[in-house]
Amino acid sequence: MPVAASAIYFLNLRGDVLINRLYRDDVGGNMVDAFRMHIMQSKELGTCPVRQIGSCSFLYMRISNVYVVIVVSSNANVACAFKFVVEAVTLFKSYFGGAFDEDGIRNNFVLIYELLDEIMDFGYPQNLSPEILKLYITQEGVRSSFSSKHVDRPVPNATLQVTGAVGWRREGLVYKKNEVFLDIVESVNLLMSSKGSVLRCDVTGKVLMKCFLSGMPDLKLGLNDKIGLEKESQLKSRPTKSGKTIELDDVTFHQCVNLTRFNSEKTVSFVPPDGEFELMKYRITEGVNLPFRVLPTIKELGRTRMEVNVKVKSVFGAKMFALAVVIKIPVPKQTAKTNFQVTSGRAKYNPAIDCLVWKIRKFPGQTESTLSAEVELISTVTEKKSLTRPPIQMEFQVPMFTASGLRVRFLKVWEKSGYNTVEWVRYITKAGSYEIRC
């Protein structure tokens, strides 16, 4: 694996070194002079975060009034280096009370040196979890006067975390009521032609969890994904009755998920962090269920008038409803006056964005609403040009509906004490980039 850092520098906005740490001997101690002279003084700080000077590469980020600069001379993993910086800053903030600035570094340089020795070894990142490091680096940082965040005290009994087995959860958690909240939140991205054909469509989703469970529970999540159901049927040696299945693309998991078990059994097994976290993200490009269909008709009546007719149909179930529906219909900049007729909701002309804005507070399923508008334009002496029509944009939220068809088949919680748990599952679909050409 390529190294992430040969040296790391913390500089203020003038280029003065606040603190630095050399991890390898392949770069000189005066490399910061090259960064100050060739990058900071050349006014090119905002052009690219990766610059090469001679045989060395400089990777830098600005956080507050501090530049964090990583220097490497070999084939470094740039993504790993920037990830290290982000995680390290988060670690420092947890010690400093939520602030990371020049004053915080000057007041805590002894603590920072101790942390830098722990979080990187010979250029390779190590454990950057604040929960684990606070177990054996118990020194408290000098908190900034602008910070009011509470600094968590380390947990006394945490041998498991020190070994790195489960670094995202501490032992000894106890709740009177053991609950798990699971939200599937999806964003629909659509580009549709004026004739109703879909030009581009996909769904990006994420599974959010909020766990209030005692002890060290082991959770198992089952979804109606095609690969997982096929693997389950093979293991059980019998066909599975699953109904509709979907194919998940570009799946990424939280670090708590057991990837070995997922690769072998295609099941999502994990020991969850305490509180709220994002379990997984996914993307779906096939078999998308569009929640709305929009049918626009725009007619130009001479040089000074337009007729706009937009019909919106909800395709989801009749027992469901959409909330906060907003349809933005672009009109020419020279619009002078508008008259509306809507079957539901309210509409108005917003000259700041050159759009007719149609808002519907609650849109039931299997229904349709229409907007009819007469638009009067300011007459111009210039030759009439064909109007460039930006697409109609739509915003909405549909509770208990998933455009991908993803469903939770089961959520099992096992803990050695055998307590009972309450599981809550919720689905939400909202508009990402929902556009219809007109």
Side-chain angles (χ1 to χ4, degrees), residues 174-299:
V174 178
Y175 290 97
K176 291 183 179 180
K177 187 176 182 181
N178 294 283
E179 295 179 299
V180 179
F181 299 87
L182 189 147
D183 289 344
I184 295 182
V185 182
E186 295 188 342
S187 297
V188 186
N189 304 303
L190 170 72
L191 179 60
M192 182 177 290
S193 69
S194 58
K195 297 181 180 179
S197 59
V198 177
L199 303 178
R200 183 186 71 246
C201 184
D202 67 87
V203 174
T204 56
K206 52 188 176 181
V207 179
L208 305 176
M209 294 196 72
K210 188 180 293 184
C211 294
F212 302 106
L213 299 174
S214 305
M216 297 291 288
D218 189 3
L219 276 65
K220 185 175 181 182
L221 176 66
L223 305 171
N224 62 331
D225 62 298
K226 183 178 180 180
I227 298 178
L229 288 171
E230 290 177 352
K231 188 68 177 180
E232 182 179 334
S233 63
Q234 292 176 4
L235 295 175
K236 293 183 178 180
S237 300
R238 65 174 184 266
T240 179
K241 298 179 181 180
S242 58
K244 181 183 177 181
T245 60
I246 62 172
E247 295 188 18
L248 299 177
D249 302 324
D250 304 329
V251 181
T252 57
F253 292 108
H254 188 273
Q255 61 174 337
C256 68
V257 175
N258 189 332
L259 296 181
T260 302
R261 192 169 181 181
F262 178 78
N263 291 330
S264 61
E265 302 178 11
K266 300 302 177 184
T267 58
V268 183
S269 302
F270 56 99
V271 176
D274 186 43
E276 188 173 356
F277 67 100
E278 183 180 281
L279 178 65
M280 60 180 285
K281 294 189 293 187
Y282 60 90
R283 182 170 172 265
I284 291 176
T285 56
E286 301 292 337
V288 177
N289 303 316
L290 297 177
F292 289 98
R293 296 194 68 88
V294 181
L295 305 174
T297 304
I298 298 179
K299 297 180 181 179

